[in-house]
Amino acid sequence: MNGALADAIGICGSVLFIGAFAYANRAPVLNKLMFNTVNLVGAVLLLISLSVHFNLAAVVLEGAWAVIALAGLISAIRERRA
């Protein structure tokens, strides 16, 4: 993967994070399923970008973000089933 494509993928991930953060701060009721899905996809996109432009601190942050979002997603799915 070339650097420009990695940058574009990383920017898409960043846009998703910003959108999710704005949504969480503006929505009267948080849709946890959507919020955590968007955060998980954003983290994965940024991790893909970081595979080309490696930065250990950012990888640790995005990895943790992805794990937390995945846990939130699982929790939201379980809540919907109950």
Side-chain angles (χ1 to χ4, degrees):
M1 175 183 323
N2 67 38
L5 179 57
D7 287 342
I9 290 170
I11 289 169
C12 288
S14 295
V15 167
L16 288 174
F17 278 155
I18 293 165
F21 185 66
Y23 163 73
N25 281 281
R26 301 288 298 156
V29 177
L30 183 69
N31 178 331
K32 291 181 182 180
L33 187 61
M34 182 183 72
F35 177 73
N36 285 299
T37 300
V38 171
N39 274 294
L40 179 59
V41 172
V44 168
L45 291 175
L46 279 160
L47 284 167
I48 291 168
S49 174
L50 287 165
S51 73
V52 174
H53 303 295
F54 186 79
N55 177 313
L56 181 58
V59 168
V60 169
L61 175 65
E62 297 310 324
W65 200 286
V67 168
I68 293 166
L70 183 59
L73 186 57
I74 291 168
S75 176
I77 290 169
R78 286 183 179 160
E79 285 176 16
R80 285 198 174 200
R81 288 184 181 168

